[in-house]
Amino acid sequence: MSPKFRRSVMGALAAVALLPSLAAPLAPAMAAEAAPKKEFEFVTLGDFTVNLPGTNRRMSYVVVSVTLETKAEQTQQFRDLSPRLKQAVLRRLMAMSERQELRPGRLDPALLRDSLYDSLAQVQEDGLKDVVITRLILS
């Protein structure tokens, strides 16, 4: 193998090795252009556990997992307000517990969702599309 041929092969291999590192800065921009823009995004508030008043000595409780569907351009506002949003959910669940609206047989998931939406809209209504209850456990 001639030295000239060896240099050209080594140069070609070096160029191929550098291509991914040269294209890497362009990849996120190209991916962002190719990906369709989301109109709505989800913000998870987490699980809320509330004790239910009982007539006997047995403890009972409800666990509710809440996720918000928000306009994509306002998702960060909801993330920034998440402590206040969580407080609003917990207050509403505790009030519903005191009124015994969270009892098995009396719990209406649609009413729960609407009630939580109303409470959350008082904190941040603009951009809030829906409240999704992802888990509901009564014990």
Side-chain angles (χ1 to χ4, degrees):
M1 189 183 302
S2 74
K4 193 175 198 182
F5 180 71
R6 184 180 298 170
R7 270 187 253 140
S8 61
V9 169
M10 294 300 281
L13 289 173
V16 169
L18 287 175
L19 278 177
S21 64
L22 293 174
L26 301 175
M30 291 171 55
E33 289 175 12
K37 299 282 184 190
K38 292 182 185 177
E39 188 176 349
F40 296 98
E41 292 184 7
F42 292 95
V43 177
T44 302
L45 293 182
D47 294 341
F48 298 87
T49 304
V50 176
N51 290 328
L52 301 174
T55 56
N56 54 17
R57 292 183 166 250
R58 185 172 171 251
M59 289 290 295
S60 58
Y61 59 90
V62 64
V63 178
V64 181
S65 297
V66 178
T67 299
L68 308 180
E69 186 175 5
T70 64
K71 289 184 180 176
E73 63 271 4
Q74 293 172 307
T75 299
Q76 189 57 46
Q77 292 175 351
F78 283 91
R79 287 191 178 112
D80 292 343
L81 287 171
S82 68
R84 292 205 183 274
L85 296 168
K86 289 177 183 182
Q87 181 183 32
V89 169
L90 192 56
R91 281 186 178 172
R92 181 58 61 109
L93 290 173
M94 291 174 70
M96 291 179 78
S97 171
E98 289 175 9
R99 291 190 304 264
Q100 297 194 10
E101 295 173 352
L102 298 178
R103 289 257 178 249
R106 294 192 61 193
L107 179 60
D108 180 4
L111 177 67
L112 174 61
R113 181 222 152 286
D114 291 345
S115 184
L116 292 177
Y117 185 94
D118 292 343
S119 292
L120 293 165
Q122 291 176 6
V123 176
Q124 174 73 25
E125 183 174 19
D126 190 35
L128 180 62
K129 181 183 179 205
D130 199 4
V131 175
V132 181
I133 298 172
T134 55
R135 181 166 49 165
L136 181 60
I137 300 172
L138 290 163
S139 171

